[in-house]
Amino acid sequence: MSKAGTDRVVRIGGASGYWGDSAEAARQLVQKGGIDYLVFDYLAEVTMSILVRARAKAPDTGYARDFVDLVMKPLLPEIKRRGIKVIANAGGVNIPACAAALAKVAEEAGLDLRIATVTGDDLLERVDELRGQDVRDMTTGKPMPGRLISANAYLGAFPIAAALDAGADIVITGRCVDSATTVGALIHEFGWQPQDYDRLAAGTLAGHILECGAQATGGNFTDWRDVVAGWPDMGYPIAECEFSGSFVITKPEGTGGLVSRLSVSEQIVYELGDPGAYLMPDVTCDFRGASVTECGRDRVRVEGARGYPPPEKLKVSATFSDGYRASSATVVAGFDVVEKAQAYSAALLERVNRLIEERGLGPLRQAAVHLIGAETLLGANARPEARASREIMVRIDVRHDRREALEVFSKEVTGVALSMTTGRASGGAGGRPKVTPVVAQFAFLVDRDKVQVEVQVDGSEIAFAPATPGEFFDPAQMRELRIPLPAEAVTDDRVEVPLIELAVARSGDKGDNANVGVIARHAELLPWLKQELTAERVGRWFAHVQRGDTVRYEMPGLLAFNFVLANALDGGGTSSLYLDSQGKTYAQQLLAMPVSVPRSLLAHARGTTGPAGRS
């Protein structure tokens, strides 16, 4: 039975897309958003590795300290006055320390706030037990590394709801799925049950939109000129959620940015795998038929998500020490800079390999050279004229299993300043490149009964037992949804234009895989984009970075496609030597691809207005 009633609208503000997001987001939403809940997402895979290293140096750290010191401390009195509840995965790898620090801030401010914690995601003490079960990486099949330094299961939303049910004002979690902070609030407010799969999927979609902050309100938007005037005061997203699961995305009145079909759809396709089987701890989501409809100025209604039973196992993100890395940056200017930079980097790496082998350390494990300013990110798709640049930055990244080998690299980068290329200048901070440890990811699946969740409010444990799913997700349950190819023969001539004229796009990472979501500017363009954007052609476009297969998924409700590029990130953000280690530029790269469409359809392309243009 609904706790809030089926006619209530719950307003949830998304205040953080990563650890380091602007503290202005929370202040804006609290003061101008009229929200009931303030939710934060801090924990990307890269962030977890940073927090692990921090806790290793100081046992009372390992959480997102910005959440306590920069965000909550100045806002707590106003949050209390307005009755706003806060949910954040700011606990990182040290949830009790985060809760204790926040409790101290509240006490010093004379505020009576009930603080809850959700723990149980940390499985590090059970690693030996899991190793005995021959746990393997879920994508590569490799066995568990010799020593893990962290292992955190992705928890769902029901523990958060239980904390709110027990009267918590603030809920702090560790590694939960990004959308759980939103879904937990909706379970609490509306009394959704574990079998309410369509509603849980809809709530997950709302959380997925909120979890990256201003990316849903015009941040990182393809059509950046439409929002650039509002960048100094970007609005942050608010989801107005209903009992049915449908919701409206908006932002505080008078703030910058844009809430439109395209801006919100870009966020929906961000960092997706299979959009028909988006696996969460509580539900398997099908977003292929979800639609985004503009229903007012800076307001869009999102509906149509479907849900299925959850997967049988839970995902665990673990980290392990995997050697060391160092990076140097040198500016080369003048004539023939590309050729000079290539010769310089090759000579430097040859010299370093010779010196470290003389010391019995073995050659560099990996090296990557990037000529920034010569379209180095684009590989074979770079324009020939890019080689005519007269100023580039040479970035050289190297890895080795031994720190002392990279200390040689660090010394020689500065030591060859007078013996190699002319026209060079420092490309960054002064001094020698810093040698840093690499913390790599190992992701695997674990049985649900291996994860024991505990919920506490003000330090006292409350009764919580996760529901045992009566069934698990079966791909055979999925309905077929397809985008048609063009139905008729082309009667007019074809014209070739860059993809950006016909679509917008957003890209991101999932471990070593990258995804690029592409959204048509108009429904009539969609069949032609299907014809042009085959998985094979997109795979060839990214041949300079990809080492696996390309899969294309269709999302008719959004007028979109999602491309998943396997093994396209050199191991992923925590260990990659790629200049773009998280695939954030891949959408821009794909939007440069030339595509052929009937000339008559250019009326639906970028730059037009009204129903046939941007919608």
Side-chain angles (χ1 to χ4, degrees):
M1 179 179 178
S2 168
K3 301 175 186 178
T6 58
D7 58 345
R8 184 178 174 202
V9 173
V10 177
R11 289 172 57 91
I12 304 175
S16 175
Y18 61 101
W19 185 25
D21 207 341
S22 174
E24 288 299 293
R27 186 177 68 85
Q28 178 195 101
L29 289 166
V30 168
Q31 295 180 353
K32 301 179 181 180
I35 56 174
D36 304 299
Y37 288 86
L38 187 66
V39 300
F40 298 80
D41 174 33
Y42 286 102
L43 301 183
E45 284 83 359
V46 173
T47 309
M48 293 296 284
S49 69
I50 294 171
L51 294 174
V52 166
R53 293 200 300 266
R55 185 180 63 178
K57 295 178 180 178
D60 62 340
T61 63
Y63 62 90
R65 297 181 66 174
D66 291 2
F67 169 70
V68 177
D69 300 331
L70 301 182
V71 179
M72 297 301 288
K73 186 173 182 178
L75 287 176
L76 271 180
E78 189 72 1
I79 286 171
K80 173 69 174 179
R81 187 182 72 81
R82 293 176 181 263
I84 298 170
K85 293 186 181 292
V86 176
I87 309 170
N89 60 7
V93 295
N94 200 343
I95 301 165
C98 182
L102 185 58
K104 182 179 179 181
V105 168
E107 181 181 5
E108 290 173 348
L111 299 174
D112 180 20
L113 290 168
R114 303 194 71 194
I115 300 173
T117 58
V118 175
T119 58
D121 61 298
D122 190 346
L123 302 183
L124 191 58
E125 293 184 357
R126 308 187 70 172
V127 163
D128 290 340
E129 174 188 348
L130 296 171
R131 193 188 308 278
Q133 298 173 7
D134 193 28
V135 166
R136 301 264 170 172
D137 186 278
M138 59 188 294
T139 55
T140 67
K142 293 180 179 179
M144 186 181 290
R147 179 178 176 271
L148 297 182
I149 55 179
S150 72
N152 297 84
Y154 285 77
L155 303 184
F158 280 92
I160 295 171
L164 295 170
D165 290 347
D169 299 303
I170 300 172
V171 183
I172 298 172
T173 78
R175 179 73 277 184
C176 61
V177 291
D178 299 341
S179 57
T181 54
T182 294
V183 182
L186 297 177
I187 293 171
H188 165 68
E189 288 286 344
F190 294 130
W192 290 348
Q193 298 301 304
Q195 291 76 35
D196 290 335
Y197 297 133
D198 284 349
R199 293 188 182 109
L200 292 172
T204 299
L205 183 53
H208 178 68
I209 294 171
L210 294 181
E211 73 191 40
C212 285
Q215 275 197 173
T217 52
N220 294 343
F221 187 35
T222 298
D223 293 341
W224 65 276
R225 293 187 186 277
D226 291 352
V227 294
V228 63
W231 280 358
D233 185 28
M234 282 294 286
Y236 290 83
I238 298 169
E240 299 176 349
C241 303
E242 302 167 8
F243 173 78
S244 66
S246 296
F247 58 93
V248 169
I249 296 294
T250 186
K251 64 183 182 67
E253 186 74 23
T255 59
L258 173 71
V259 179
S260 70
R261 177 181 74 84
L262 293 181
S263 70
V264 172
S265 294
E266 276 198 15
Q267 175 54 29
I268 291 176
V269 299
Y270 179 63
E271 294 187 341
L272 281 184
D274 181 349
Y278 189 58
L279 304 177
M280 296 285 105
D282 303 317
V283 63
T284 297
C285 305
D286 183 353
F287 298 152
R288 294 171 301 159
S291 62
V292 179
T293 306
E294 295 180 7
C295 57
R297 181 179 176 85
D298 289 320
R299 294 178 64 82
V300 300
R301 174 167 288 276
V302 183
E303 50 196 353
R306 293 281 301 274
Y308 300 102
E312 185 174 0
K313 295 178 181 290
L314 299 179
K315 180 181 175 180
V316 178
S317 178
T319 58
F320 64 98
S321 297
D322 193 23
Y324 299 85
R325 68 182 296 164
S327 177
S328 72
T330 303
V331 172
V332 179
F335 300 95
D336 308 317
V337 293
V338 171
E339 290 79 3
K340 282 193 296 187
Q342 290 171 331
Y344 157 69
S345 56
L348 175 64
L349 291 173
E350 179 181 342
R351 180 185 183 99
V352 169
N353 270 318
R354 173 173 58 81
L355 293 175
I356 61 178
E357 291 201 66
E358 287 175 357
R359 290 161 171 76
L361 299 173
L364 292 168
R365 174 172 161 182
Q366 189 180 7
V369 176
H370 303 285
L371 307 184
I372 303 171
E375 299 191 1
T376 189
L377 284 167
L378 304 181
N381 301 318
R383 298 169 300 174
E385 57 264 33
R387 296 182 63 86
S389 174
R390 292 192 295 178
E391 177 184 279
I392 62 174
M393 178 183 289
V394 185
R395 176 168 149 177
I396 304 176
D397 295 271
V398 293
R399 285 187 65 183
H400 199 283
D401 290 335
R402 303 274 294 274
R403 176 185 287 273
E404 52 266 43
L406 295 191
E407 295 291 356
V408 174
F409 168 81
S410 180
K411 171 64 173 69
E412 291 305 310
V413 165
T414 54
V416 300
L418 303 182
S419 60
M420 291 190 180
T421 184
T422 186
R424 60 176 288 165
S426 174
R432 298 176 182 175
K434 185 179 180 182
V435 178
T436 59
V438 172
V439 179
Q441 185 186 32
F442 177 78
F444 61 96
L445 299 176
V446 67
D447 292 335
R448 289 173 174 267
D449 60 7
K450 301 296 182 187
V451 180
Q452 305 298 319
V453 180
E454 183 176 296
V455 181
Q456 292 189 357
V457 178
D458 288 340
S460 298
E461 185 175 354
I462 67 169
F464 172 75
T468 301
E471 58 178 329
F472 296 111
F473 174 62
D474 180 354
Q477 297 173 295
M478 295 173 61
R479 55 181 175 157
E480 183 172 341
L481 284 177
R482 295 293 180 192
I483 294 169
L485 286 165
E488 300 177 0
V490 180
T491 57
D492 63 349
D493 62 326
R494 301 281 287 266
V495 61
E496 191 173 83
V497 296
L499 177 59
I500 193 171
E501 297 299 320
L502 310 177
V504 299
R506 177 78 57 80
S507 58
D509 65 310
K510 284 293 183 184
D512 193 24
N513 297 342
N515 94 291
V516 185
V518 178
I519 304 105
R521 295 185 181 277
H522 192 281
E524 291 190 33
L525 296 167
L526 197 61
W528 299 95
L529 291 180
K530 177 173 180 175
Q531 185 177 77
E532 290 288 297
L533 297 177
T534 64
E536 293 74 19
R537 189 178 179 206
V538 171
R540 289 194 301 271
W541 192 255
F542 287 101
H544 57 293
V545 291
Q546 189 174 4
R547 302 295 176 264
D549 296 328
T550 300
V551 179
R552 182 182 72 182
Y553 297 100
E554 300 177 18
M555 304 179 71
L558 286 186
L559 312 181
F561 303 93
N562 186 44
F563 296 90
V564 176
L565 316 174
N567 310 123
L569 295 172
D570 189 39
T574 60
S575 56
S576 173
L577 293 192
Y578 281 4
L579 181 60
D580 180 4
S581 62
Q582 295 180 284
K584 306 304 184 186
T585 67
Y586 287 13
Q588 292 293 301
Q589 294 188 39
L590 186 58
L591 287 170
M593 176 190 284
V595 292
S596 176
V597 294
R599 186 177 298 276
S600 61
L601 290 183
L602 291 187
H604 303 320
R606 183 168 70 164
T608 61
T609 58
R614 298 178 196 170
S615 54

